[in-house]
Amino acid sequence: MGKVTGFLEYDRQEQKYQLAADRVRHFREFTLPLDEHDLSKQAARCMDCGIPFCHGPTGCPVHNQIPDWNDLVFQSDWQEAARNLHSTNNFPEFTGRICPAPCEEACTLNLENQPVAIKTIEQAIADRAWNMGWVKPEPSETRTGKRVAVIGSGPAGMAAAQQLARVGHDVHVYEREPKAGGLLRYGIPDFKMEKRHIDRRVKQMEAEGVVFHYKANIGVNVPLEELTAKFDAVLFCGGAEDPRNPQLPGQELDGVHYAMPYLVQSNRRVGAEPMPGNGELPILAAGKNVVVIGGGDTASDCVGTAFRQGALSVTQLDIRPRPPEREDKLTVWPYWPTKMRTSSSQAEGAEREFQAATLRLEGNRKGQLTGVVCARVDEKRQPVEGSEFVLPADLVFMAIGFAGSIRKGLVEESGVALDKRGNVVADDQSYLTSKDKIYVAGDMRRGQSLVVWAIREGRQAARSIDEALMGSTVLPR
């Protein structure tokens, strides 16, 4: 695919970033896209590798036909590349921005640490498709008479709703928040993905017949039985939002917060949305020493947000050992490797402490956080005696993952079976829960995961629902 000798002629090139000193002054996206000439050369690097692991089960969860659209970009057939890309991925402008790109880790050229710049090309195709007006509503010409309710408008719910509407079902999406997007809108900062991308997809879906109901918290202010009585199928796509509780001594101190309330507040503020009137105090990092507990994407988002709010310092604690700079290709490839990665937010000036466990949080007599007591850990993640150290802190964010879906409300009212991790039980073929005509997809089923996995599950659940309602389906898996 691409140019037969392209991978020999051209070096890997990715889109660059604004300088850190400039980008921390705003919340806008800061990538600097490649021009068409450079994108064509990057697409030309896609080699005829025989077995393209990039779009197999190890590379791309939605099975994007990566070699095909790389070749189309090289041939300057951008419109056909966009059509191909949208055939497997409802929202490539989302994944082109925020997916960690397991496809690039699975690329054959990654054996030489020079994978094709797949993510950069994907974003370029999607953005060009919108700019050229190629992305249009695709309403169904026929109506099935079947009604489907989707609970949650994150990537899984949006993907499922769009697929179901396009085959003629009457689809209604119920969202707890004032706007659609789920954690795409309220969890992921604008500097990674501006919310205009979500807004135009919502408009497209509305033109396809999807009806959005906002401030509808099913199981809280809208009874679930109201939906099960009116709809032929109900799909749960509520995400995994229950934070893991580290149960740290001093966790009750002022200045200690879970990561998501902080990110949600910031996203509401940037989006000029009113804060909920529940007495919640503003969480701001301006002029403060910030410590982020956790080494994942959510922790990184806290780091970048804190810098943009004017934090004095940001330190990120990771209990894992410092990973190697490069992985052993012969033992890991084409799977996702453990290796040293530095996010754009971390590169903005964060201090990173590896093999660091948080022992307790300290405060003053007024109950205000003053510091974090840490210790180095051994290979079993047990504190090493005599290795304690203290980090001054005015603000701590706990970002150590999620323990499944919030039980109170929808999950409790539905009575669906849960596994030992707190996820709703359903297989990845039918997506049917233990309750008749109730389905589940995304993080609510598989636990916290990537946006691209949520899109895959939403698409596959839509196929299952369509097949159950109609006896057959034309929707792809």
Side-chain angles (χ1 to χ4, degrees):
M1 309 304 293
K3 188 177 183 181
V4 175
T5 56
F7 71 99
L8 298 172
E9 297 177 35
Y10 307 122
D11 291 331
R12 172 181 165 90
Q13 184 181 1
E14 299 175 87
Q15 54 189 2
K16 293 181 170 57
Y17 297 154
Q18 285 182 348
L19 294 175
D22 294 330
R23 66 182 189 248
V24 297
R25 299 175 184 274
H26 61 79
F27 277 87
R28 300 184 303 277
E29 293 177 13
F30 51 77
T31 53
L32 306 174
L34 300 180
D35 62 29
E36 185 173 345
H37 178 68
D38 286 333
L39 286 164
S40 178
K41 289 197 294 186
Q42 292 308 299
R45 297 186 66 246
C46 188
M47 59 192 297
D48 189 7
C49 58
I51 300 176
F53 286 92
C54 59
H55 72 78
T58 60
C60 181
V62 293
H63 302 297
N64 279 339
Q65 298 169 41
I66 294 164
D68 299 76
W69 44 255
N70 275 332
D71 183 54
L72 290 164
V73 168
F74 174 62
Q75 301 294 342
S76 296
D77 193 347
W78 286 83
Q79 188 167 5
E80 181 59 20
R83 188 207 61 77
N84 186 302
L85 178 54
H86 278 92
S87 72
T88 56
N89 186 350
N90 295 67
F91 315 119
E93 68 274 24
F94 298 174
T95 51
R97 285 170 166 80
I98 59 178
C99 183
C103 53
E104 294 189 14
E105 297 293 348
C107 177
T108 301
L109 289 176
N110 191 38
L111 288 169
E112 295 293 330
N113 299 301
Q114 291 289 313
V116 175
I118 299 169
K119 180 177 175 179
T120 296
I121 298 169
E122 178 181 30
Q123 180 182 335
I125 295 171
D127 288 350
R128 176 170 290 215
W130 279 104
N131 293 336
M132 297 298 293
W134 300 332
V135 181
K136 298 177 180 177
E138 300 176 27
S140 174
E141 295 180 357
T142 60
R143 309 303 301 173
T144 65
K146 301 294 185 180
R147 309 186 74 212
V148 182
V150 178
I151 301 174
S153 66
M158 288 182 67
Q162 184 165 64
Q163 293 293 94
L164 289 164
R166 286 178 172 179
V167 291
H169 299 306
D170 182 16
V171 182
H172 291 250
V173 177
Y174 291 84
E175 170 56 48
R176 179 189 63 198
E177 300 295 339
K179 294 183 179 180
L183 290 187
L184 284 171
R185 182 180 297 276
Y186 294 104
I188 294 173
D190 277 53
F191 58 79
K192 289 176 69 174
M193 189 182 79
E194 293 174 7
K195 305 310 181 275
R196 58 188 173 87
H197 303 295
I198 305 170
D199 294 337
R200 63 188 180 186
R201 281 296 181 184
V202 170
K203 288 182 180 178
Q204 180 196 29
M205 291 170 64
E206 289 175 335
E208 292 169 346
V210 178
V211 179
F212 287 86
H213 304 266
Y214 299 114
K215 298 183 180 180
N217 194 348
I218 310 303
V220 178
N221 63 7
V222 178
L224 175 62
E225 61 182 18
E226 189 177 303
L227 271 58
T228 55
K230 292 194 301 184
F231 292 92
D232 299 290
V234 178
L235 175 61
F236 289 3
C237 295
E241 299 180 280
D242 190 19
R244 283 203 184 97
N245 186 350
Q247 298 182 330
L248 294 172
Q251 198 170 301
E252 73 289 347
L253 291 167
D254 290 341
V256 181
H257 306 273
Y258 285 112
M260 287 314 303
Y262 173 58
L263 294 175
V264 169
Q265 268 198 20
S266 176
N267 278 305
R268 288 191 195 280
R269 198 175 290 114
V270 172
E273 286 190 36
M275 296 292 176
N278 55 8
E280 188 177 289
L281 296 175
I283 310 170
L284 294 166
K288 296 179 180 178
N289 294 305
V290 178
V291 174
V292 182
I293 302 172
D297 289 338
T298 301
S300 178
D301 291 345
C302 289
V303 170
T305 300
F307 278 131
R308 282 158 181 77
Q309 290 182 348
L312 285 179
S313 68
V314 181
T315 304
Q316 187 175 355
L317 302 178
D318 195 331
I319 199 169
R320 299 169 297 184
R322 184 184 181 91
E325 291 297 322
R326 288 187 176 174
E327 72 277 22
D328 182 349
K329 304 290 186 183
L330 295 181
T331 60
V332 180
W333 182 88
Y335 297 97
W336 183 259
T338 298
K339 64 180 178 181
M340 187 64 180
R341 303 174 191 274
T342 300
S343 72
S344 59
S345 293
Q346 291 164 339
E348 289 164 1
E351 294 292 329
R352 302 173 70 182
E353 296 282 354
F354 291 97
Q355 281 186 279
T358 305
L359 301 183
R360 64 184 181 275
L361 306 171
E362 293 184 328
N364 58 27
R365 294 180 180 179
K366 295 181 180 180
Q368 178 64 46
L369 173 76
T370 58
V372 181
V373 181
C374 311
R376 302 298 174 193
V377 297
D378 58 23
E379 63 276 4
K380 295 181 179 180
R381 297 189 176 181
Q382 297 302 308
V384 175
E385 187 175 352
S387 66
E388 292 83 2
F389 60 99
V390 180
L391 296 172
D394 308 297
L395 202 56
V396 162
F397 298 122
M398 299 178 291
I400 58 171
F402 300 87
S405 302
I406 295 173
R407 307 289 180 87
K408 188 176 181 180
L410 176 63
V411 172
E412 285 185 352
E413 185 178 330
S414 68
V416 294
L418 304 177
D419 64 20
K420 61 183 180 181
R421 296 173 58 208
N423 302 322
V424 178
V425 173
D427 63 55
D428 62 358
Q429 296 295 316
S430 71
Y431 290 88
L432 184 64
T433 70
S434 59
K435 297 294 182 179
D436 184 44
K437 78 176 187 180
I438 295 180
Y439 298 78
V440 64
D443 289 3
M444 209 168 182
R445 189 194 76 84
R446 64 180 287 118
Q448 68 175 101
S449 190
L450 304 177
V451 166
V452 68
W453 271 104
I455 294 172
R456 169 192 169 131
E457 296 229 336
R459 287 171 60 89
Q460 292 188 343
R463 174 187 168 89
S464 176
I465 291 170
D466 184 43
E467 189 171 31
L469 295 180
M470 306 303 295
S472 62
T473 182
V474 295
L475 291 175
R477 269 188 63 78

